[in-house]
Amino acid sequence: MRILLRTLRAENNGERISLGISLENGEQSESRTLVISAEQYCELNLKRGELTEEIFDRIEEASRFYAAIRCGENLLSYGPATAQALTAKIMRHGHGKAESVAAAAYLRERGLINESEDLRRELEKCLRKHWGAGRIRSHLWTKGFDKATLEELPLLLEEVDFTEHCASLIRKHFGGAPADKAERNRMTASLYRYGYTLSEIKQAFALMCEEE
């Protein structure tokens, strides 16, 4: 089989290169168009003419990788994501696992993914919902933050007065702390599901009693 690189066309102000490739096997032929980045084009040192199967395989791999990168960039334009979450999203758009993992890592290296900033931003959202530390930790774990980033969380949580946050939640959703023991027990169970400890809940009840 002969593999011929017939056309080279720069696109998007030279950011990417469109390659017109012909695969010929006797009387049968197939035309392929593969797109790679200008950086990949320089690395492969391509020029028109016959290609070896090894070079063609490298072009195909580069094209898949570049397509995954472009998909990741498009997804990030809708909102931040961790590398793990972005990998999963890229795969859902039809890209292979290897390309998706590599693309997410590449975008992180380029600074388009900043998990430390994203962690702080996501923590602020949780605090605005008046969540306790337990629920916050579970939520951030499901977001796919890596281990190194999650190690920053305990220090960030130390700065939060969760007793006051619990009291704010009681004021917002319940109006106040009930005197009835059964009602208070039901409220305690609800606050526990919000991620507060029993100690924080008791202290919040005490704080509200002092206010009253």
PDB file of all heavy atoms in Angstrom, residues 130-132 161-174 187-188 191-192 194 196-205 207-208:
ATOM      1  N   HIS A 130     -24.774  26.936  52.720  1.00  0.00           N
ATOM      2  CA  HIS A 130     -24.757  26.622  54.156  1.00  0.00           C
ATOM      3  C   HIS A 130     -24.523  25.136  54.426  1.00  0.00           C
ATOM      4  O   HIS A 130     -25.113  24.569  55.342  1.00  0.00           O
ATOM      5  CB  HIS A 130     -26.060  27.087  54.837  1.00  0.00           C
ATOM      6  CG  HIS A 130     -26.307  28.549  54.740  1.00  0.00           C
ATOM      7  ND1 HIS A 130     -25.561  29.490  55.433  1.00  0.00           N
ATOM      8  CD2 HIS A 130     -27.212  29.255  54.021  1.00  0.00           C
ATOM      9  CE1 HIS A 130     -26.000  30.706  55.141  1.00  0.00           C
ATOM     10  NE2 HIS A 130     -26.992  30.584  54.286  1.00  0.00           N
ATOM     11  N   TRP A 131     -23.635  24.528  53.641  1.00  0.00           N
ATOM     12  CA  TRP A 131     -23.311  23.123  53.873  1.00  0.00           C
ATOM     13  C   TRP A 131     -22.270  23.010  54.972  1.00  0.00           C
ATOM     14  O   TRP A 131     -21.413  23.885  55.142  1.00  0.00           O
ATOM     15  CB  TRP A 131     -22.748  22.481  52.605  1.00  0.00           C
ATOM     16  CG  TRP A 131     -23.787  22.231  51.556  1.00  0.00           C
ATOM     17  CD1 TRP A 131     -25.121  22.494  51.625  1.00  0.00           C
ATOM     18  CD2 TRP A 131     -23.558  21.662  50.261  1.00  0.00           C
ATOM     19  NE1 TRP A 131     -25.748  22.128  50.453  1.00  0.00           N
ATOM     20  CE2 TRP A 131     -24.815  21.613  49.603  1.00  0.00           C
ATOM     21  CE3 TRP A 131     -22.433  21.194  49.602  1.00  0.00           C
ATOM     22  CZ2 TRP A 131     -24.962  21.106  48.318  1.00  0.00           C
ATOM     23  CZ3 TRP A 131     -22.559  20.688  48.324  1.00  0.00           C
ATOM     24  CH2 TRP A 131     -23.825  20.647  47.687  1.00  0.00           C
ATOM     25  N   GLY A 132     -22.317  21.884  55.703  1.00  0.00           N
ATOM     26  CA  GLY A 132     -21.308  21.582  56.692  1.00  0.00           C
ATOM     27  C   GLY A 132     -20.090  20.943  56.061  1.00  0.00           C
ATOM     28  O   GLY A 132     -20.091  20.571  54.880  1.00  0.00           O
ATOM     29  N   ASP A 161     -16.293  29.252  60.344  1.00  0.00           N
ATOM     30  CA  ASP A 161     -17.025  29.053  61.599  1.00  0.00           C
ATOM     31  C   ASP A 161     -18.294  28.266  61.276  1.00  0.00           C
ATOM     32  O   ASP A 161     -19.329  28.837  60.938  1.00  0.00           O
ATOM     33  CB  ASP A 161     -17.375  30.411  62.221  1.00  0.00           C
ATOM     34  CG  ASP A 161     -18.035  30.269  63.584  1.00  0.00           C
ATOM     35  OD1 ASP A 161     -18.447  29.149  63.938  1.00  0.00           O
ATOM     36  OD2 ASP A 161     -18.144  31.288  64.292  1.00  0.00           O
ATOM     37  N   PHE A 162     -18.203  26.943  61.380  1.00  0.00           N
ATOM     38  CA  PHE A 162     -19.339  26.113  60.988  1.00  0.00           C
ATOM     39  C   PHE A 162     -20.500  26.184  61.979  1.00  0.00           C
ATOM     40  O   PHE A 162     -21.643  25.924  61.614  1.00  0.00           O
ATOM     41  CB  PHE A 162     -18.896  24.663  60.771  1.00  0.00           C
ATOM     42  CG  PHE A 162     -18.221  24.442  59.449  1.00  0.00           C
ATOM     43  CD1 PHE A 162     -16.847  24.279  59.376  1.00  0.00           C
ATOM     44  CD2 PHE A 162     -18.964  24.437  58.269  1.00  0.00           C
ATOM     45  CE1 PHE A 162     -16.231  24.099  58.145  1.00  0.00           C
ATOM     46  CE2 PHE A 162     -18.356  24.256  57.037  1.00  0.00           C
ATOM     47  CZ  PHE A 162     -16.979  24.088  56.979  1.00  0.00           C
ATOM     48  N   THR A 163     -20.219  26.564  63.214  1.00  0.00           N
ATOM     49  CA  THR A 163     -21.317  26.770  64.167  1.00  0.00           C
ATOM     50  C   THR A 163     -22.194  27.921  63.695  1.00  0.00           C
ATOM     51  O   THR A 163     -23.430  27.824  63.683  1.00  0.00           O
ATOM     52  CB  THR A 163     -20.767  27.065  65.569  1.00  0.00           C
ATOM     53  OG1 THR A 163     -20.071  25.916  66.052  1.00  0.00           O
ATOM     54  CG2 THR A 163     -21.903  27.392  66.536  1.00  0.00           C
ATOM     55  N   GLU A 164     -21.574  28.996  63.278  1.00  0.00           N
ATOM     56  CA  GLU A 164     -22.328  30.153  62.786  1.00  0.00           C
ATOM     57  C   GLU A 164     -23.040  29.817  61.481  1.00  0.00           C
ATOM     58  O   GLU A 164     -24.177  30.238  61.251  1.00  0.00           O
ATOM     59  CB  GLU A 164     -21.392  31.338  62.580  1.00  0.00           C
ATOM     60  CG  GLU A 164     -22.066  32.593  62.004  1.00  0.00           C
ATOM     61  CD  GLU A 164     -23.255  33.055  62.824  1.00  0.00           C
ATOM     62  OE1 GLU A 164     -23.172  33.058  64.057  1.00  0.00           O
ATOM     63  OE2 GLU A 164     -24.299  33.410  62.199  1.00  0.00           O
ATOM     64  N   HIS A 165     -22.378  29.037  60.615  1.00  0.00           N
ATOM     65  CA  HIS A 165     -23.021  28.632  59.361  1.00  0.00           C
ATOM     66  C   HIS A 165     -24.241  27.763  59.633  1.00  0.00           C
ATOM     67  O   HIS A 165     -25.262  27.884  58.956  1.00  0.00           O
ATOM     68  CB  HIS A 165     -22.019  27.874  58.475  1.00  0.00           C
ATOM     69  CG  HIS A 165     -21.224  28.756  57.573  1.00  0.00           C
ATOM     70  ND1 HIS A 165     -21.572  29.011  56.268  1.00  0.00           N
ATOM     71  CD2 HIS A 165     -20.098  29.472  57.801  1.00  0.00           C
ATOM     72  CE1 HIS A 165     -20.695  29.832  55.720  1.00  0.00           C
ATOM     73  NE2 HIS A 165     -19.787  30.123  56.627  1.00  0.00           N
ATOM     74  N   CYS A 166     -24.129  26.894  60.620  1.00  0.00           N
ATOM     75  CA  CYS A 166     -25.261  26.033  60.986  1.00  0.00           C
ATOM     76  C   CYS A 166     -26.410  26.884  61.521  1.00  0.00           C
ATOM     77  O   CYS A 166     -27.579  26.660  61.165  1.00  0.00           O
ATOM     78  CB  CYS A 166     -24.809  25.017  62.034  1.00  0.00           C
ATOM     79  SG  CYS A 166     -26.078  23.818  62.474  1.00  0.00           S
ATOM     80  N   ALA A 167     -26.077  27.863  62.358  1.00  0.00           N
ATOM     81  CA  ALA A 167     -27.108  28.762  62.894  1.00  0.00           C
ATOM     82  C   ALA A 167     -27.778  29.543  61.757  1.00  0.00           C
ATOM     83  O   ALA A 167     -29.003  29.744  61.765  1.00  0.00           O
ATOM     84  CB  ALA A 167     -26.493  29.712  63.915  1.00  0.00           C
ATOM     85  N   SER A 168     -26.986  29.970  60.782  1.00  0.00           N
ATOM     86  CA  SER A 168     -27.554  30.698  59.634  1.00  0.00           C
ATOM     87  C   SER A 168     -28.509  29.819  58.851  1.00  0.00           C
ATOM     88  O   SER A 168     -29.552  30.282  58.365  1.00  0.00           O
ATOM     89  CB  SER A 168     -26.428  31.189  58.715  1.00  0.00           C
ATOM     90  OG  SER A 168     -25.598  32.115  59.372  1.00  0.00           O
ATOM     91  N   LEU A 169     -28.154  28.538  58.711  1.00  0.00           N
ATOM     92  CA  LEU A 169     -29.027  27.597  58.008  1.00  0.00           C
ATOM     93  C   LEU A 169     -30.343  27.422  58.761  1.00  0.00           C
ATOM     94  O   LEU A 169     -31.420  27.381  58.150  1.00  0.00           O
ATOM     95  CB  LEU A 169     -28.317  26.255  57.855  1.00  0.00           C
ATOM     96  CG  LEU A 169     -29.100  25.145  57.145  1.00  0.00           C
ATOM     97  CD1 LEU A 169     -29.416  25.542  55.706  1.00  0.00           C
ATOM     98  CD2 LEU A 169     -28.309  23.837  57.168  1.00  0.00           C
ATOM     99  N   ILE A 170     -30.275  27.341  60.085  1.00  0.00           N
ATOM    100  CA  ILE A 170     -31.486  27.206  60.898  1.00  0.00           C
ATOM    101  C   ILE A 170     -32.379  28.427  60.715  1.00  0.00           C
ATOM    102  O   ILE A 170     -33.597  28.310  60.531  1.00  0.00           O
ATOM    103  CB  ILE A 170     -31.114  27.009  62.380  1.00  0.00           C
ATOM    104  CG1 ILE A 170     -30.390  25.678  62.577  1.00  0.00           C
ATOM    105  CG2 ILE A 170     -32.367  27.056  63.258  1.00  0.00           C
ATOM    106  CD1 ILE A 170     -29.786  25.499  63.956  1.00  0.00           C
ATOM    107  N   ARG A 171     -31.769  29.614  60.744  1.00  0.00           N
ATOM    108  CA  ARG A 171     -32.552  30.841  60.572  1.00  0.00           C
ATOM    109  C   ARG A 171     -33.215  30.878  59.187  1.00  0.00           C
ATOM    110  O   ARG A 171     -34.381  31.266  59.060  1.00  0.00           O
ATOM    111  CB  ARG A 171     -31.650  32.069  60.727  1.00  0.00           C
ATOM    112  CG  ARG A 171     -31.026  32.257  62.095  1.00  0.00           C
ATOM    113  CD  ARG A 171     -30.281  33.584  62.168  1.00  0.00           C
ATOM    114  NE  ARG A 171     -29.360  33.615  63.305  1.00  0.00           N
ATOM    115  CZ  ARG A 171     -28.052  33.423  63.215  1.00  0.00           C
ATOM    116  NH1 ARG A 171     -27.483  33.178  62.025  1.00  0.00           N
ATOM    117  NH2 ARG A 171     -27.292  33.461  64.294  1.00  0.00           N
ATOM    118  N   LYS A 172     -32.440  30.479  58.167  1.00  0.00           N
ATOM    119  CA  LYS A 172     -32.934  30.590  56.790  1.00  0.00           C
ATOM    120  C   LYS A 172     -34.045  29.599  56.490  1.00  0.00           C
ATOM    121  O   LYS A 172     -35.059  29.951  55.863  1.00  0.00           O
ATOM    122  CB  LYS A 172     -31.771  30.383  55.819  1.00  0.00           C
ATOM    123  CG  LYS A 172     -32.170  30.494  54.346  1.00  0.00           C
ATOM    124  CD  LYS A 172     -30.951  30.325  53.442  1.00  0.00           C
ATOM    125  CE  LYS A 172     -31.352  30.432  51.973  1.00  0.00           C
ATOM    126  NZ  LYS A 172     -30.177  30.259  51.081  1.00  0.00           N
ATOM    127  N   HIS A 173     -33.866  28.340  56.903  1.00  0.00           N
ATOM    128  CA  HIS A 173     -34.810  27.284  56.508  1.00  0.00           C
ATOM    129  C   HIS A 173     -35.854  26.936  57.564  1.00  0.00           C
ATOM    130  O   HIS A 173     -36.905  26.393  57.235  1.00  0.00           O
ATOM    131  CB  HIS A 173     -34.033  26.011  56.124  1.00  0.00           C
ATOM    132  CG  HIS A 173     -33.290  26.122  54.828  1.00  0.00           C
ATOM    133  ND1 HIS A 173     -33.915  26.066  53.606  1.00  0.00           N
ATOM    134  CD2 HIS A 173     -31.972  26.317  54.566  1.00  0.00           C
ATOM    135  CE1 HIS A 173     -33.017  26.205  52.645  1.00  0.00           C
ATOM    136  NE2 HIS A 173     -31.820  26.356  53.205  1.00  0.00           N
ATOM    137  N   PHE A 174     -35.533  27.232  58.826  1.00  0.00           N
ATOM    138  CA  PHE A 174     -36.451  26.808  59.889  1.00  0.00           C
ATOM    139  C   PHE A 174     -36.987  27.970  60.718  1.00  0.00           C
ATOM    140  O   PHE A 174     -37.893  27.782  61.525  1.00  0.00           O
ATOM    141  CB  PHE A 174     -35.752  25.793  60.809  1.00  0.00           C
ATOM    142  CG  PHE A 174     -35.208  24.588  60.088  1.00  0.00           C
ATOM    143  CD1 PHE A 174     -33.867  24.488  59.784  1.00  0.00           C
ATOM    144  CD2 PHE A 174     -36.052  23.552  59.704  1.00  0.00           C
ATOM    145  CE1 PHE A 174     -33.354  23.383  59.126  1.00  0.00           C
ATOM    146  CE2 PHE A 174     -35.554  22.435  59.037  1.00  0.00           C
ATOM    147  CZ  PHE A 174     -34.205  22.359  58.748  1.00  0.00           C
ATOM    148  N   MET A 187     -35.000  18.214  63.359  1.00  0.00           N
ATOM    149  CA  MET A 187     -34.144  19.255  62.784  1.00  0.00           C
ATOM    150  C   MET A 187     -32.680  18.850  62.864  1.00  0.00           C
ATOM    151  O   MET A 187     -31.907  19.077  61.916  1.00  0.00           O
ATOM    152  CB  MET A 187     -34.354  20.586  63.516  1.00  0.00           C
ATOM    153  CG  MET A 187     -33.589  21.738  62.886  1.00  0.00           C
ATOM    154  SD  MET A 187     -33.805  23.294  63.782  1.00  0.00           S
ATOM    155  CE  MET A 187     -35.543  23.606  63.490  1.00  0.00           C
ATOM    156  N   THR A 188     -32.295  18.224  63.970  1.00  0.00           N
ATOM    157  CA  THR A 188     -30.914  17.755  64.123  1.00  0.00           C
ATOM    158  C   THR A 188     -30.560  16.752  63.029  1.00  0.00           C
ATOM    159  O   THR A 188     -29.477  16.812  62.436  1.00  0.00           O
ATOM    160  CB  THR A 188     -30.716  17.109  65.503  1.00  0.00           C
ATOM    161  OG1 THR A 188     -30.932  18.102  66.519  1.00  0.00           O
ATOM    162  CG2 THR A 188     -29.311  16.533  65.646  1.00  0.00           C
ATOM    163  N   LEU A 191     -30.035  18.669  59.803  1.00  0.00           N
ATOM    164  CA  LEU A 191     -28.770  19.416  59.814  1.00  0.00           C
ATOM    165  C   LEU A 191     -27.578  18.471  59.674  1.00  0.00           C
ATOM    166  O   LEU A 191     -26.568  18.824  59.054  1.00  0.00           O
ATOM    167  CB  LEU A 191     -28.653  20.226  61.104  1.00  0.00           C
ATOM    168  CG  LEU A 191     -29.688  21.353  61.266  1.00  0.00           C
ATOM    169  CD1 LEU A 191     -29.640  21.910  62.679  1.00  0.00           C
ATOM    170  CD2 LEU A 191     -29.446  22.460  60.238  1.00  0.00           C
ATOM    171  N   TYR A 192     -27.710  17.279  60.230  1.00  0.00           N
ATOM    172  CA  TYR A 192     -26.649  16.273  60.106  1.00  0.00           C
ATOM    173  C   TYR A 192     -26.456  15.889  58.638  1.00  0.00           C
ATOM    174  O   TYR A 192     -25.328  15.697  58.172  1.00  0.00           O
ATOM    175  CB  TYR A 192     -26.995  15.050  60.949  1.00  0.00           C
ATOM    176  CG  TYR A 192     -25.898  14.030  61.045  1.00  0.00           C
ATOM    177  CD1 TYR A 192     -24.786  14.239  61.867  1.00  0.00           C
ATOM    178  CD2 TYR A 192     -25.954  12.858  60.295  1.00  0.00           C
ATOM    179  CE1 TYR A 192     -23.767  13.292  61.947  1.00  0.00           C
ATOM    180  CE2 TYR A 192     -24.939  11.912  60.375  1.00  0.00           C
ATOM    181  CZ  TYR A 192     -23.853  12.137  61.199  1.00  0.00           C
ATOM    182  OH  TYR A 192     -22.848  11.207  61.270  1.00  0.00           O
ATOM    183  N   TYR A 194     -26.913  17.805  56.205  1.00  0.00           N
ATOM    184  CA  TYR A 194     -26.230  18.940  55.572  1.00  0.00           C
ATOM    185  C   TYR A 194     -24.724  18.906  55.812  1.00  0.00           C
ATOM    186  O   TYR A 194     -23.997  19.731  55.270  1.00  0.00           O
ATOM    187  CB  TYR A 194     -26.800  20.266  56.088  1.00  0.00           C
ATOM    188  CG  TYR A 194     -27.941  20.808  55.274  1.00  0.00           C
ATOM    189  CD1 TYR A 194     -29.251  20.451  55.535  1.00  0.00           C
ATOM    190  CD2 TYR A 194     -27.700  21.695  54.220  1.00  0.00           C
ATOM    191  CE1 TYR A 194     -30.309  20.964  54.776  1.00  0.00           C
ATOM    192  CE2 TYR A 194     -28.738  22.214  53.462  1.00  0.00           C
ATOM    193  CZ  TYR A 194     -30.035  21.840  53.742  1.00  0.00           C
ATOM    194  OH  TYR A 194     -31.071  22.338  52.993  1.00  0.00           O
ATOM    195  N   TYR A 196     -23.180  18.783  59.057  1.00  0.00           N
ATOM    196  CA  TYR A 196     -22.731  19.307  60.344  1.00  0.00           C
ATOM    197  C   TYR A 196     -22.567  18.194  61.364  1.00  0.00           C
ATOM    198  O   TYR A 196     -23.304  17.200  61.345  1.00  0.00           O
ATOM    199  CB  TYR A 196     -23.723  20.357  60.862  1.00  0.00           C
ATOM    200  CG  TYR A 196     -23.735  21.607  60.025  1.00  0.00           C
ATOM    201  CD1 TYR A 196     -24.743  21.833  59.083  1.00  0.00           C
ATOM    202  CD2 TYR A 196     -22.730  22.554  60.144  1.00  0.00           C
ATOM    203  CE1 TYR A 196     -24.749  22.967  58.296  1.00  0.00           C
ATOM    204  CE2 TYR A 196     -22.716  23.700  59.359  1.00  0.00           C
ATOM    205  CZ  TYR A 196     -23.730  23.897  58.431  1.00  0.00           C
ATOM    206  OH  TYR A 196     -23.718  25.024  57.645  1.00  0.00           O
ATOM    207  N   THR A 197     -21.621  18.377  62.291  1.00  0.00           N
ATOM    208  CA  THR A 197     -21.439  17.412  63.368  1.00  0.00           C
ATOM    209  C   THR A 197     -22.476  17.684  64.457  1.00  0.00           C
ATOM    210  O   THR A 197     -23.053  18.784  64.533  1.00  0.00           O
ATOM    211  CB  THR A 197     -20.030  17.530  63.978  1.00  0.00           C
ATOM    212  OG1 THR A 197     -19.899  18.815  64.598  1.00  0.00           O
ATOM    213  CG2 THR A 197     -18.958  17.380  62.897  1.00  0.00           C
ATOM    214  N   LEU A 198     -22.695  16.692  65.309  1.00  0.00           N
ATOM    215  CA  LEU A 198     -23.647  16.874  66.412  1.00  0.00           C
ATOM    216  C   LEU A 198     -23.184  17.987  67.341  1.00  0.00           C
ATOM    217  O   LEU A 198     -24.011  18.743  67.881  1.00  0.00           O
ATOM    218  CB  LEU A 198     -23.804  15.563  67.176  1.00  0.00           C
ATOM    219  CG  LEU A 198     -24.478  14.415  66.413  1.00  0.00           C
ATOM    220  CD1 LEU A 198     -24.515  13.156  67.269  1.00  0.00           C
ATOM    221  CD2 LEU A 198     -25.900  14.807  65.987  1.00  0.00           C
ATOM    222  N   SER A 199     -21.864  18.102  67.517  1.00  0.00           N
ATOM    223  CA  SER A 199     -21.327  19.169  68.364  1.00  0.00           C
ATOM    224  C   SER A 199     -21.643  20.543  67.781  1.00  0.00           C
ATOM    225  O   SER A 199     -22.064  21.458  68.502  1.00  0.00           O
ATOM    226  CB  SER A 199     -19.813  18.998  68.508  1.00  0.00           C
ATOM    227  OG  SER A 199     -19.245  20.075  69.230  1.00  0.00           O
ATOM    228  N   GLU A 200     -21.451  20.704  66.475  1.00  0.00           N
ATOM    229  CA  GLU A 200     -21.743  21.987  65.821  1.00  0.00           C
ATOM    230  C   GLU A 200     -23.227  22.313  65.904  1.00  0.00           C
ATOM    231  O   GLU A 200     -23.614  23.478  66.099  1.00  0.00           O
ATOM    232  CB  GLU A 200     -21.283  21.948  64.366  1.00  0.00           C
ATOM    233  CG  GLU A 200     -19.767  21.941  64.200  1.00  0.00           C
ATOM    234  CD  GLU A 200     -19.320  21.544  62.814  1.00  0.00           C
ATOM    235  OE1 GLU A 200     -20.145  20.995  62.037  1.00  0.00           O
ATOM    236  OE2 GLU A 200     -18.142  21.767  62.489  1.00  0.00           O
ATOM    237  N   ILE A 201     -24.078  21.302  65.772  1.00  0.00           N
ATOM    238  CA  ILE A 201     -25.528  21.516  65.829  1.00  0.00           C
ATOM    239  C   ILE A 201     -25.942  21.971  67.232  1.00  0.00           C
ATOM    240  O   ILE A 201     -26.717  22.920  67.393  1.00  0.00           O
ATOM    241  CB  ILE A 201     -26.284  20.233  65.418  1.00  0.00           C
ATOM    242  CG1 ILE A 201     -25.995  19.907  63.941  1.00  0.00           C
ATOM    243  CG2 ILE A 201     -27.788  20.395  65.645  1.00  0.00           C
ATOM    244  CD1 ILE A 201     -26.455  18.526  63.517  1.00  0.00           C
ATOM    245  N   LYS A 202     -25.417  21.309  68.247  1.00  0.00           N
ATOM    246  CA  LYS A 202     -25.730  21.687  69.630  1.00  0.00           C
ATOM    247  C   LYS A 202     -25.262  23.109  69.923  1.00  0.00           C
ATOM    248  O   LYS A 202     -25.969  23.897  70.569  1.00  0.00           O
ATOM    249  CB  LYS A 202     -25.082  20.705  70.607  1.00  0.00           C
ATOM    250  CG  LYS A 202     -25.712  19.329  70.614  1.00  0.00           C
ATOM    251  CD  LYS A 202     -24.985  18.395  71.573  1.00  0.00           C
ATOM    252  CE  LYS A 202     -25.614  17.003  71.576  1.00  0.00           C
ATOM    253  NZ  LYS A 202     -24.897  16.061  72.477  1.00  0.00           N
ATOM    254  N   GLN A 203     -24.058  23.445  69.446  1.00  0.00           N
ATOM    255  CA  GLN A 203     -23.526  24.792  69.667  1.00  0.00           C
ATOM    256  C   GLN A 203     -24.368  25.830  68.923  1.00  0.00           C
ATOM    257  O   GLN A 203     -24.572  26.951  69.422  1.00  0.00           O
ATOM    258  CB  GLN A 203     -22.072  24.859  69.207  1.00  0.00           C
ATOM    259  CG  GLN A 203     -21.104  24.076  70.075  1.00  0.00           C
ATOM    260  CD  GLN A 203     -19.705  24.053  69.496  1.00  0.00           C
ATOM    261  OE1 GLN A 203     -19.298  24.961  68.779  1.00  0.00           O
ATOM    262  NE2 GLN A 203     -18.961  22.996  69.800  1.00  0.00           N
ATOM    263  N   ALA A 204     -24.871  25.468  67.736  1.00  0.00           N
ATOM    264  CA  ALA A 204     -25.727  26.392  66.984  1.00  0.00           C
ATOM    265  C   ALA A 204     -27.044  26.619  67.724  1.00  0.00           C
ATOM    266  O   ALA A 204     -27.538  27.752  67.799  1.00  0.00           O
ATOM    267  CB  ALA A 204     -25.991  25.841  65.590  1.00  0.00           C
ATOM    268  N   PHE A 205     -27.636  25.546  68.281  1.00  0.00           N
ATOM    269  CA  PHE A 205     -28.857  25.690  69.081  1.00  0.00           C
ATOM    270  C   PHE A 205     -28.603  26.599  70.283  1.00  0.00           C
ATOM    271  O   PHE A 205     -29.409  27.479  70.598  1.00  0.00           O
ATOM    272  CB  PHE A 205     -29.343  24.318  69.572  1.00  0.00           C
ATOM    273  CG  PHE A 205     -30.049  23.509  68.517  1.00  0.00           C
ATOM    274  CD1 PHE A 205     -29.987  22.120  68.534  1.00  0.00           C
ATOM    275  CD2 PHE A 205     -30.788  24.123  67.511  1.00  0.00           C
ATOM    276  CE1 PHE A 205     -30.641  21.361  67.572  1.00  0.00           C
ATOM    277  CE2 PHE A 205     -31.442  23.375  66.541  1.00  0.00           C
ATOM    278  CZ  PHE A 205     -31.359  21.989  66.562  1.00  0.00           C
ATOM    279  N   LEU A 207     -26.303  28.889  70.557  1.00  0.00           N
ATOM    280  CA  LEU A 207     -26.096  30.259  70.060  1.00  0.00           C
ATOM    281  C   LEU A 207     -27.434  30.950  69.809  1.00  0.00           C
ATOM    282  O   LEU A 207     -27.625  32.123  70.169  1.00  0.00           O
ATOM    283  CB  LEU A 207     -25.260  30.215  68.785  1.00  0.00           C
ATOM    284  CG  LEU A 207     -24.960  31.550  68.100  1.00  0.00           C
ATOM    285  CD1 LEU A 207     -24.141  32.454  69.010  1.00  0.00           C
ATOM    286  CD2 LEU A 207     -24.216  31.318  66.787  1.00  0.00           C
ATOM    287  N   MET A 208     -28.379  30.247  69.244  1.00  0.00           N
ATOM    288  CA  MET A 208     -29.678  30.820  68.941  1.00  0.00           C
ATOM    289  C   MET A 208     -30.489  31.067  70.211  1.00  0.00           C
ATOM    290  O   MET A 208     -31.237  32.052  70.296  1.00  0.00           O
ATOM    291  CB  MET A 208     -30.438  29.921  67.976  1.00  0.00           C
ATOM    292  CG  MET A 208     -29.708  29.705  66.656  1.00  0.00           C
ATOM    293  SD  MET A 208     -30.755  29.066  65.365  1.00  0.00           S
ATOM    294  CE  MET A 208     -31.740  30.490  64.969  1.00  0.00           C
TER     295      MET A 208
END
